[in-house]
Amino acid sequence: MNRLIASLVVALATTTAAIAQEYPTKPITMLVPFAAGGPTDTVARLTAEAMSKTLGQNILVENLPGAGGTIAAGRAAESAPDGYTILVHHIGMSTAPTLYRQLRFDPVTAFAPIGLVTEAPMTIVARPDFEASTLAELIQTIKADSEAITYANAGIGAASHLCGMLFMSTVGAQMTTVPYKGNGPIMTDLMGSQIDMTCDQATNTAGALREKQIKGYAVTAAERQAAIPELPTTAEAGLPNFELSVWHGVYAPAGTPDAVLAKLTASLQAAVEDEAMGKRLNDIATLPATKDQATPAALKERLSSEIARWKPLIEAAGQFAD
Ligand code: ASP
């Protein structure tokens, strides 16, 4: 290497290191793959607020719904790896490679994982005036005329889609599926009785269930949830082994400098221990990650194990998207 090039390389490395040291010097954009007002949006806004306290910069939430979350994930994968664009995504990151035949990014290599942020069970819910009052009655009503019942989901790869897919194959009946851009708009239509039912994270339904704005049949967890204690578990309601837990993680594009990733991770770790965020999550039956889970290694491991876990289930269901 000649001297000039060598000194340019040194200068560039020094500048990159200095930029990473000063990071962040301007607001950060947090991409959210579903519409505003839904569970992923709620997790993202709480996380953004808590992380901005330690980063000393605003984190602006941008909702970019569509294609079960893959549009926002694709945009994040292609963004400049400078720490100014990050992504919050859920379990859908691990189902996308099997569900989408033409996915334009590889969830494992296109991102630098920052850490896990929350985990929540799902709830099987219906419009407030739906006739069935127990899960057994709900299943009976569905089986009697499944096409007449509308099931809302937030697109292929959304947790509401996965839960619906498992529910329909478990009860052996296909309802009429209505796709939305997120569970925010689904909740509005459910409360207004424009659709019959859905399966949504407790994050989004706990408040509406307590207020009796929607009907609840079961929570997809082994234990009842303190925030919605009246809701039986799926096993108690007659569907043993029907458990589904939705985890969310925070990602940066691959190639983001280590020093920037370290700052984002430290800030995420402070967020999951933030008292205000913890209290709010507790109220909506959503568990913050532990400090050890809010790390790149833990998210990397969860992502790979979940990709392997969902692959055979999705292939058996035989539902794919292009
Ligand atoms: N995360 C939700 C789902 O997967 C969608 C949303 O957050 O609005 O169904």
Side-chain angles (χ1 to χ4, degrees):
M1 207 184 311
N2 79 30
R3 266 232 206 109
L4 178 64
I5 294 178
S7 47
L8 279 176
V9 168
V10 171
L12 188 65
T14 317
T15 316
T16 310
I19 288 171
Q21 283 307 319
E22 284 161 21
Y23 171 85
T25 56
K26 58 178 184 180
I28 296 162
T29 297
M30 179 181 270
L31 295 175
V32 175
F34 297 101
T40 301
D41 181 68
T42 298
V43 167
R45 285 175 198 272
L46 291 172
T47 308
E49 196 183 323
M51 284 178 75
S52 65
K53 287 186 201 167
T54 43
L55 289 171
Q57 283 290 343
N58 280 335
I59 300 185
L60 312 170
V61 170
E62 185 181 333
N63 300 85
L64 200 61
T70 56
I71 292 179
R75 162 91 80 83
E78 286 157 12
S79 296
D82 55 8
Y84 290 101
T85 305
I86 57 176
L87 168 77
V88 166
H89 202 346
H90 66 9
I91 195 165
M93 189 73 123
S94 62
T95 56
T98 315
L99 280 172
Y100 284 83
R101 296 194 194 274
Q102 318 214 347
L103 198 63
R104 58 181 219 268
F105 60 89
D106 176 347
V108 174
T109 56
F111 298 98
I114 296 168
L116 286 157
V117 58
T118 56
E119 183 133 15
M122 301 206 74
T123 54
I124 300 172
V125 295
R127 57 182 160 82
D129 50 355
F130 201 78
E131 51 276 26
S133 48
T134 63
L135 187 64
E137 283 176 25
L138 174 73
I139 294 173
Q140 227 176 28
T141 311
I142 294 169
K143 283 187 156 173
D145 189 359
S146 59
E147 276 179 26
I149 314 275
T150 47
Y151 178 94
N153 73 28
I156 295 184
S160 40
H161 162 253
L162 287 177
C163 189
M165 189 174 82
L166 294 178
F167 182 70
M168 290 186 228
S169 76
T170 306
V171 305
Q174 281 301 315
M175 291 177 264
T176 300
T177 299
V178 185
Y180 281 74
K181 290 198 159 153
N183 282 84
I186 289 176
M187 185 55 84
T188 308
D189 279 6
L190 195 65
M191 285 176 177
S193 296
Q194 268 102 13
I195 40 150
D196 292 322
M197 67 166 292
T198 191
C199 183
D200 189 4
Q201 288 152 72
T203 315
N204 206 38
T205 59
L209 284 168
R210 282 197 297 262
E211 298 295 321
K212 309 231 180 307
Q213 291 164 304
I214 54 171
K215 244 182 192 173
Y217 297 98
V219 60
T220 67
E223 308 282 338
R224 287 192 182 212
Q225 305 294 299
I228 32 173
E230 280 157 31
L231 203 63
T233 65
T234 29
E236 286 172 335
L239 273 190
N241 305 320
F242 194 92
E243 283 173 27
L244 185 55
S245 181
V246 179
W247 50 275
H248 277 84
V250 183
Y251 303 80
T256 303
D258 287 347
V260 170
L261 290 176
K263 282 195 180 174
L264 287 167
T265 302
S267 164
L268 182 65
Q269 287 182 313
V272 297
E273 295 201 318
D274 182 272
E275 215 176 297
M277 170 150 148
K279 205 178 156 305
R280 180 78 188 97
L281 289 174
N282 196 28
D283 224 39
I284 48 178
T286 303
L287 205 62
T290 62
K291 211 172 162 196
D292 286 348
Q293 292 169 330
T295 56
L299 177 54
K300 190 168 178 231
E301 174 359 74
R302 176 66 68 93
L303 181 63
S304 327
S305 63
E306 289 275 285
I307 290 174
R309 174 177 162 233
W310 283 103
K311 197 171 190 293
L313 293 172
I314 294 165
E315 280 170 351
Q319 288 181 15
F320 304 102
D322 283 328

